[in-house]
Amino acid sequence: MARQRAIEEAMQICHDFQDSVNAILEWLPDAENALDSLEPISDDYETISEQIQELLQLSYFMADQNTAVEQVCTLGAIREETGPALSEEENSRYKEMKERYRELWNKIGARQDELNARQEALDAEDDLSNFDITEWKKRFLRWMDGNHERIIDLFRKFDVNKDGTLSHQEFKDGIMQAGIPTPRSCFPIIIRNLIGMTVETSTTGSSRLL
């Protein structure tokens, strides 16, 4: 009786495994075609936002399939450990399913990275085109007043190695860590305008910027 039950359970595992692999291989081509049919990444900001949403829809669909794929992998692991062993055809289709599923996720991730990078580049271009160093200095001073900071204290905090000179990186890191509103792409302009600025401090005599 127990032997018969074990045989029936093994047959059910085989049947479930085969059906699940076949089901995934049936919808995978549609998902692959959906990704391949997406338009090349645009140079228009609004279009990129739409393309990000399009990709998100595909990502949501793929995420919904994760449970089914994980169940197939669990069944595959059970068969590898307890049998019955996968036939050559079953192993081939199982391997194909895993590789295509992984590759599809990799392509989705790569496109998302490209979209984000292009959107950030356009943001940087927009920031640069609208950046006014005079206005930034005014905002910087207002921020200092609002936070009861003095420039000599800020310079002392930014000067991590305490050598009396702020490197470009120390200045950028200090501004960002302090939370002073500044577009990253505009730091070159700010630095060019502040190079050589000297502030008297009580600890080093003077602190030279950059």
Side-chain angles (χ1 to χ4, degrees):
M1 193 71 174
R3 178 178 173 80
Q4 180 63 29
R5 187 181 303 110
I7 293 175
E8 291 175 355
E9 289 176 354
M11 291 180 63
Q12 186 62 48
I13 289 175
C14 290
H15 183 268
D16 292 344
F17 178 78
Q18 292 172 3
D19 283 352
S20 298
V21 170
N22 290 336
I24 293 170
L25 286 174
E26 283 182 6
W27 62 254
L28 262 176
D30 291 336
E32 292 167 337
N33 290 335
L35 180 62
D36 291 340
S37 65
L38 294 177
E39 293 292 326
I41 294 175
S42 174
D43 288 327
D44 177 72
Y45 195 90
E46 291 187 4
T47 303
I48 289 178
S49 297
E50 293 173 358
Q51 290 180 322
I52 289 175
Q53 291 303 312
E54 288 176 345
L55 190 64
L56 277 176
Q57 294 305 312
L58 179 57
S59 298
Y60 292 152
F61 170 78
M62 290 289 290
D64 288 341
Q65 312 309 314
N66 278 343
T67 299
V69 174
E70 289 172 357
Q71 289 175 345
V72 171
C73 292
T74 298
L75 290 173
I78 292 174
R79 291 192 58 178
E80 289 174 353
E81 292 179 5
T82 64
L86 298 177
S87 67
E88 184 176 343
E89 181 180 356
E90 285 178 322
N91 187 59
S92 176
R93 290 179 65 78
Y94 180 43
K95 182 179 180 181
E96 177 191 354
M97 181 214 75
K98 291 192 295 183
E99 289 178 350
R100 289 174 64 179
Y101 185 74
R102 186 184 305 113
E103 179 65 16
L104 184 54
W105 265 124
N106 289 340
K107 288 182 177 180
I108 290 174
R111 182 174 173 87
Q112 184 65 61
D113 290 342
E114 292 177 10
L115 285 166
N116 291 340
R118 187 57 190 147
Q119 192 174 56
E120 290 174 4
L122 291 174
D123 281 334
E125 291 175 9
D126 186 61
D127 288 336
L128 283 170
S129 64
N130 294 300
F131 185 71
D132 185 321
I133 185 63
T134 301
E135 289 299 317
W136 180 85
K137 288 178 180 178
K138 291 178 181 178
R139 290 199 305 272
F140 175 62
L141 291 175
R142 285 198 298 269
W143 181 91
M144 287 178 52
D145 289 340
N147 288 273
H148 308 292
E149 288 276 13
R150 298 182 304 167
I151 193 168
I152 60 172
D153 297 326
L154 278 179
F155 271 44
R156 192 178 298 124
K157 291 176 183 177
F158 294 174
D159 187 11
V160 177
N161 61 8
K162 306 304 178 186
D163 65 351
T165 301
L166 292 182
S167 67
H168 293 187
Q169 194 61 50
E170 283 178 326
F171 178 73
K172 288 189 287 186
D173 290 346
I175 291 292
M176 299 306 295
Q177 290 171 9
I180 301 171
T182 305
R184 290 181 180 273
S185 59
C186 297
F187 273 112
I189 298 175
I190 297 170
I191 289 171
R192 283 199 302 272
N193 278 267
L194 299 183
I195 284 177
M197 179 180 176
T198 300
V199 177
E200 296 299 323
T201 69
S202 59
T203 57
T204 63
S206 66
S207 183
R208 185 175 178 81
L209 177 60
L210 313 173

